[in-house]
Amino acid sequence: MAREPEDLASIDELLAGSAEPEPDQRTGAPGRPATPGSRLARSVLVAAVLAGALYVVALPLGFSVPYLLLVAVFLALGAVRRALRSVAAPRLTIGAMPPPPAIGVDPDGSADGVSLALSRWDTRLSWTERDGPRFGSTVVPRLAEIADERLRQRHGLTRAADPRRAREIMGDRLWGFLHAPVTRAPSVRELAVVVDEMEKL
């Protein structure tokens, strides 16, 4: 009788391997969780062996340390190590899902710096739409930074370095907008006039 051809395994099946029970993190034995008694016995055994080795090395060097004290020290170090492992951050694994994108970032990668900057400005302006003091503390300083940068690039000065010349270049309306105390948020028309004067700097 002719044998029927066997189905070929896919790459995924070959790379996946056989399903085996995962070893227990503390004992290393597959599928058998360690009991508290076995963990304690293992810890005492490890501490006793390490303390014995240190005791044997310390005697010829002239150090006399009580053996039980060494066992207690190694038990304490083991307890600290277990405590640190229990609060450690999870390891990053290859192939793990990437973190979710930050707020304001387009997941398909089409967002650029200009659109992000515009969305930040839009957020700031919406926060301060009916709040004059907040507008004065949030938006006006940013507009002043932009005005200073334009003055520095085009005229070689800033408001702080040469206020008289800066005021002549900016004009009384823009100067007053950036320096007068803010009691109310400006209207859209007033803000458009300010932006237009800033663009003329």
Side-chain angles (χ1 to χ4, degrees):
M1 288 179 54
R3 293 175 55 189
E4 293 184 5
E6 298 179 2
D7 291 337
L8 297 177
S10 68
I11 292 290
D12 292 334
E13 292 171 345
L14 291 173
L15 294 178
S18 60
E20 297 179 358
E22 294 186 2
D24 183 65
Q25 293 181 353
R26 296 179 181 86
T27 64
R32 282 185 315 196
T35 62
S38 65
R39 284 197 301 265
L40 179 62
R42 184 173 180 267
S43 298
V44 170
L45 181 64
V46 170
V49 170
L50 291 175
L54 186 59
Y55 185 76
V56 169
V57 171
L59 275 180
L61 297 175
F63 297 106
S64 112
V65 181
Y67 176 72
L68 290 179
L69 176 63
L70 292 176
V71 172
V73 167
F74 279 110
L75 280 174
L77 289 175
V80 169
R81 180 175 174 266
R82 281 191 302 276
L84 290 176
R85 286 180 65 189
S86 68
V87 297
R91 290 184 177 181
L92 295 177
T93 56
I94 296 174
M97 292 295 292
I103 297 173
V105 177
D106 198 358
D108 65 358
S110 61
D112 60 1
V114 174
S115 62
L116 293 177
L118 288 175
S119 68
R120 282 195 297 268
W121 273 102
D122 186 45
T123 303
R124 284 185 185 131
L125 290 173
S126 65
W127 284 346
T128 60
E129 190 174 357
R130 293 181 180 84
D131 190 351
R134 193 169 191 178
F135 181 87
S137 63
T138 305
V139 178
V140 172
R142 304 304 184 275
L143 294 175
E145 290 173 8
I146 295 172
D148 273 339
E149 186 63 19
R150 292 182 75 88
L151 287 171
R152 186 188 64 77
Q153 287 181 352
R154 297 187 177 185
H155 304 282
L157 56 94
T158 61
R159 292 175 302 130
D162 190 353
R164 185 187 58 78
R165 177 82 179 115
R167 184 168 186 167
E168 288 176 5
I169 295 170
M170 295 172 72
D172 289 337
R173 182 183 307 189
L174 180 57
W175 182 269
F177 178 83
L178 296 178
H179 291 88
V182 179
T183 57
R184 63 174 183 83
S187 65
V188 175
R189 185 184 302 265
E190 292 170 333
L191 198 56
V193 170
V194 168
V195 171
D196 185 54
E197 291 188 2
M198 287 178 62
E199 288 177 349
K200 291 177 183 176
L201 290 178

